[in-house]
Amino acid sequence: MTEVNLENITKLFREELKPLNSRLDSIELTLEKHTKILDTHTAALDRLLKEKKDREEEKQVSEHRFERLENWAAQVGEKLGIKLEL
């Protein structure tokens, strides 16, 4: 029979915890993979939201320009005596 001392207790705990440590290592690897995937998805989502915002801003600018162009065309039409259907 082995002697009960701190060294033997430590060895026993190490042996008993090997399966748990192995499982924790596996979980850590899985978590690392999922974190990388999540980072990739987050970056893609950020890009898509930025593109959407840029398109909305471009649309607003285009609408404003078109509105000004329509107003200008209406003024020119009035001066020339032409009725424009806008």
Side-chain angles (χ1 to χ4, degrees):
M1 183 170 218
T2 58
E3 186 179 331
V4 176
N5 61 30
L6 187 57
E7 185 180 326
N8 287 336
I9 291 173
T10 303
K11 286 180 185 177
L12 177 66
F13 274 127
R14 283 191 180 135
E15 279 301 311
E16 291 295 320
L17 292 176
K18 274 186 181 179
L20 181 59
N21 285 336
S22 174
R23 180 74 178 128
L24 287 174
D25 288 344
S26 172
I27 290 171
E28 187 175 320
L29 286 174
T30 302
L31 183 59
E32 191 176 307
K33 288 178 187 175
H34 289 191
T35 301
K36 286 180 183 177
I37 291 170
L38 183 60
D39 288 346
T40 302
H41 290 174
T42 301
L45 185 58
D46 285 344
R47 268 193 318 274
L48 288 172
L49 289 174
K50 184 184 179 318
E51 288 176 15
K52 181 182 182 286
K53 180 183 172 197
D54 290 347
R55 279 195 211 126
E56 286 176 352
E57 288 173 358
E58 288 176 15
K59 182 181 175 189
Q60 287 177 342
V61 169
S62 294
E63 287 174 354
H64 182 69
R65 286 180 178 170
F66 191 72
E67 186 178 305
R68 285 187 1 210
L69 182 60
E70 282 184 335
N71 288 337
W72 176 81
Q75 289 174 0
V76 169
E78 281 181 28
K79 291 190 180 206
L80 295 176
I82 301 170
K83 182 175 183 200
L84 299 176
E85 306 263 339
L86 299 176

